[in-house]
Amino acid sequence: MNVSLVYDTNNAKEVFKGHGYHHPDSPHEVPTGLDSYPAIFSYPEEKPPIKLWPMVVMLLNSKAAELTDLDRVIYSFDKTQSMTYFVTRLEGRFSLVVIFNFKKSERDSYIKLFMQEMNLNLRGSNMFAGLGQKS
């Protein structure tokens, strides 16, 4: 299993320079191909599964219209590699991707609940909703 936060650098206002601090005047090339979708967080490994990254990028691109609904969880099963992918958009350029190395049900309520709760927590929706409540 892998959980990754993916950043879409395509058409970003500023060039993605990689993880960590970079001097503002240091030159950097615009990422292309698979490098234009870096994982800014990956668990349990520090780096995402590189051999599966083409499928992740393909899903993010092919399901872009569906991912505009920030509460939607997209399911995909790759029969050739026997891998299950769940994807949800956190906001414009950030997506949460969960990969299983076996077939999972599209209707798995635990996974969908996990994805929805992570989405709400990472967006801070619960905290902001609490600010508007009257005491």
Side-chain angles (χ1 to χ4, degrees):
M1 183 185 89
N2 176 269
V3 177
S4 293
L5 288 177
V6 182
Y7 175 53
D8 177 0
T9 65
N10 292 304
N11 302 316
K13 291 180 183 177
E14 294 189 27
V15 175
F16 178 72
K17 299 176 182 179
H19 299 288
Y21 175 78
H22 299 272
H23 190 276
D25 296 333
S26 63
H28 286 86
E29 293 182 22
V30 176
T32 59
L34 295 179
D35 293 335
S36 61
Y37 292 89
I40 56 173
F41 171 82
S42 185
Y43 179 84
E45 301 295 323
E46 189 173 310
K47 295 191 178 207
I50 299 302
K51 68 178 184 170
L52 303 177
W53 219 241
M55 181 64 173
V56 170
V57 171
M58 186 191 76
L59 273 172
L60 292 173
N61 286 320
S62 66
K63 303 292 185 178
E66 295 173 54
L67 288 169
T68 57
D69 178 359
L70 298 181
D71 297 321
R72 184 141 188 209
V73 177
I74 305 296
Y75 167 88
S76 181
F77 177 69
D78 182 358
K79 293 177 186 174
T80 58
Q81 295 184 342
S82 196
M83 305 296 279
T84 306
Y85 300 83
F86 289 90
V87 181
T88 189
R89 180 87 54 175
L90 302 175
E91 64 174 45
R93 298 189 170 280
F94 295 92
S95 300
L96 175 65
V97 179
V98 178
I99 304 169
F100 293 93
N101 56 355
F102 50 89
K103 185 169 176 74
K104 294 292 279 181
S105 170
E106 182 175 1
R107 303 185 200 295
D108 191 314
S109 60
Y110 294 110
I111 296 169
K112 288 202 173 194
L113 182 62
F114 167 78
M115 301 280 292
Q116 291 165 344
E117 284 186 15
M118 284 296 291
N119 195 334
L120 288 173
N121 289 329
L122 290 170
R123 284 191 297 184
S125 299
N126 293 338
M127 291 187 298
F128 292 124
L131 289 174
Q133 295 177 354
K134 293 182 180 181
S135 300

